């Protein structure tokens, strides 16, 4: 009887200790998230309002707000420094690469996830090996291969390279995603007389939309900010994509000193990635959560 009374007296103390421990852990987690958010957001805010400053304000008063909005910085960056041309070049490469990557990876992942055949796992691990191969080791042979195929300094060559570079991770993710889809829908569609093509395009592909959107965002960010591949495969200035053009512009600033236009150019490059993420953030979270359930 005495032991039971002692346990009853100790229970509120244990409950309070556990509650305090959970509160401390949650507070530390929230503090870390807030700190990380400020670490990411504040530089972008500083970059945004600095793009409306003059060169003198950027150098002599970097932390203050602009005394007057210098909209001509963006016009100068878009036209004079050719950011508009680089932007269009990036769109010509990224959009077809993204469509081709999603089309090939979705069909491949569906077959690897839903069908059992000899060499299934070997083929899956072969794609995974592409994730382990460092891109720097392929730059020299890739340059000569593109030159021999007359794809050097062409948008088609860069599209094919972007697609090949993005396929391994996309296939890895979508294979796990397709495994989470219910098999009953597949079987019901086959019983109703649909063939495998109809099942894939009419049933499974719409269900995989969250995963496709998540991979579209990740691949878009990677392709949009890709620098090393176009640096090797695009050597003519009129074919530069945005990261190349920004690097070229940065080197020019040591002689032209048009830093306000450079800040405006960086802002122009940053806006599409932010807009895409803000619009599709819910789909990204849903796709990543579901796709991580199975591998």
């Amino acid at each position: 009887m005495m032991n039971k009374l002692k346990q009853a007296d100790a229970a509120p103390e244990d409950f309070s200790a556990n509650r305090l421990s959970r509160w401390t852990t949650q507070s530390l987690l929230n503090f870390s998230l807030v700190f990380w958010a400020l670490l990411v957001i504040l530089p972008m805010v500083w970059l945004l309002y600095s793009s409306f400053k003059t060169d003198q304000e950027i150098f002599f008063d970097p932390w203050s707000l602009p005394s007057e909005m210098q909209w001509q910085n963006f016009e100068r960056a878009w036209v004079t420094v050719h950011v508009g041309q680089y932007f269009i070049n990036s769109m010509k490469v990224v959009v077809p690469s993204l469509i081709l990557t999603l089309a090939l990876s979705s069909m491949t992942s569906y077959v690897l996830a839903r069908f059992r055949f000899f060499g299934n796992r070997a083929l899956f691990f072969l794609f995974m090996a592409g994730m382990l191969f460092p891109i720097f080791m392929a730059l020299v042979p890739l340059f000569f291969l593109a030159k021999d195929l007359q794809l050097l300094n062409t948008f088609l060559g860069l599209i094919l390279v972007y697609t090949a570079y993005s396929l391994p991770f996309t296939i890895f993710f979508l294979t796990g995603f397709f495994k989470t889809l219910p098999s009953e829908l597949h079987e019901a569609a086959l019983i109703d007389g649909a063939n495998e093509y109809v099942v894939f395009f009419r049933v499974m592909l719409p269900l995989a939309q969250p995963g496709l959107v998540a991979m579209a965002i990740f691949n878009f960010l990677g392709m949009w900010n890709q620098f090393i591949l176009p640096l090797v495969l695009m050597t003519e200035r009129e074919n530069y994509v945005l990261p190349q053009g920004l690097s070229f512009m940065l080197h020019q600033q040591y002689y032209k000193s048009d830093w306000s236009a450079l800040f405006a150019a960086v802002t122009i490059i940053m806006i599409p990635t932010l807009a895409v993420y803000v619009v599709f953030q819910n789909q990204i979270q849903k796709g990543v959560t579901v796709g991580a359930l199975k591998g």
Side-chain angles (χ1 to χ4, degrees):
M1 185 68 179
M2 295 297 294
N3 292 334
K4 292 182 178 180
L5 291 175
K6 290 181 180 180
Q7 292 176 0
D9 293 338
E13 296 180 359
D14 294 340
F15 176 78
S16 300
N18 292 334
R19 186 175 181 180
L20 179 61
S21 177
R22 289 196 299 269
W23 181 86
T24 303
T25 303
Q26 188 65 37
S27 299
L28 290 175
L29 179 61
N30 292 337
F31 175 79
S32 301
L33 293 175
V34 170
F35 176 76
W36 179 256
L38 292 176
L39 199 64
V40 173
I41 294 173
L42 289 180
M44 291 192 295
V45 173
W46 177 78
L47 171 66
L48 180 61
Y49 72 73
S50 294
S51 63
F52 293 98
K53 291 183 174 183
T54 63
D55 291 337
Q56 290 76 16
E57 289 177 325
I58 291 174
F59 278 100
F60 297 107
D61 201 4
W63 305 114
S64 66
L65 295 174
S67 58
E68 185 178 353
M69 305 294 279
Q70 304 293 326
W71 294 99
Q72 63 270 21
N73 292 344
F74 290 88
E75 180 183 358
R76 199 163 61 254
W78 186 266
V79 179
T80 307
V81 197
H82 306 292
V83 171
Q85 179 183 355
Y86 304 148
F87 187 94
I88 294 173
N89 290 345
S90 289
M91 294 300 294
K92 288 181 179 179
V93 173
V94 171
V95 173
S97 301
L98 197 58
I99 295 173
L100 192 58
T101 298
L102 293 178
L104 294 177
S105 59
S106 61
M107 291 185 284
T108 304
S109 302
Y110 176 73
V111 172
L112 292 175
R114 312 297 295 194
F115 296 92
R116 293 292 173 262
F117 55 89
F118 178 76
N120 179 296
R121 300 303 295 172
L123 186 60
F124 177 77
F125 287 120
L126 183 63
F127 280 113
M128 294 308 97
M131 298 172 57
L132 305 176
F133 190 81
I135 190 61
F136 294 97
M137 294 183 61
L139 292 178
V140 174
L142 191 61
F143 174 84
F144 287 105
L145 178 63
K147 184 178 180 181
D148 292 340
L149 295 176
Q150 298 182 354
L151 294 175
L152 197 64
N153 288 309
T154 64
F155 294 127
L156 176 60
L158 201 56
I159 289 170
L160 294 177
V161 172
Y162 275 16
T163 302
Y165 181 69
S166 303
L167 279 177
F169 177 73
T170 310
I171 291 174
F172 169 76
F173 181 89
L174 290 180
T175 300
F177 195 94
F178 276 113
K179 286 182 179 179
T180 66
L181 300 181
S183 302
E184 291 79 6
L185 295 177
H186 182 203
E187 297 170 356
L190 292 177
I191 292 174
D192 289 340
N195 57 36
E196 291 293 349
Y197 296 100
V198 174
V199 172
F200 174 70
F201 287 106
R202 297 287 184 88
V203 179
M204 292 301 178
L205 200 59
L207 291 175
Q209 182 181 355
L212 293 173
V213 171
M215 283 298 95
I217 302 303
F218 281 119
N219 284 317
F220 175 81
L221 296 178
M223 295 174 184
W224 189 262
N225 297 314
Q226 180 61 247
F227 176 72
I228 189 65
L229 289 175
L231 180 65
V232 173
L233 300 177
M234 288 291 194
T235 57
E236 296 180 1
R237 183 182 172 185
E238 60 269 17
N239 292 333
Y240 280 179
V241 294
L242 272 175
Q244 275 181 293
L246 185 62
S247 176
F248 179 75
M249 184 180 177
L250 176 62
H251 287 86
Q252 281 186 319
Q253 300 317 305
Y254 296 117
Y255 307 98
K256 294 185 177 181
S257 299
D258 192 3
W259 295 98
S260 56
L262 177 63
F263 275 74
V266 175
T267 303
I268 293 173
I269 295 174
M270 181 181 65
I271 286 175
T273 56
L274 288 178
V276 167
Y277 185 80
V278 168
V279 172
F280 296 103
Q281 59 178 329
N282 292 330
Q283 288 86 343
I284 294 174
Q285 295 171 2
K286 183 178 179 181
V288 172
T289 302
V290 178
L293 294 177
K294 289 190 179 181

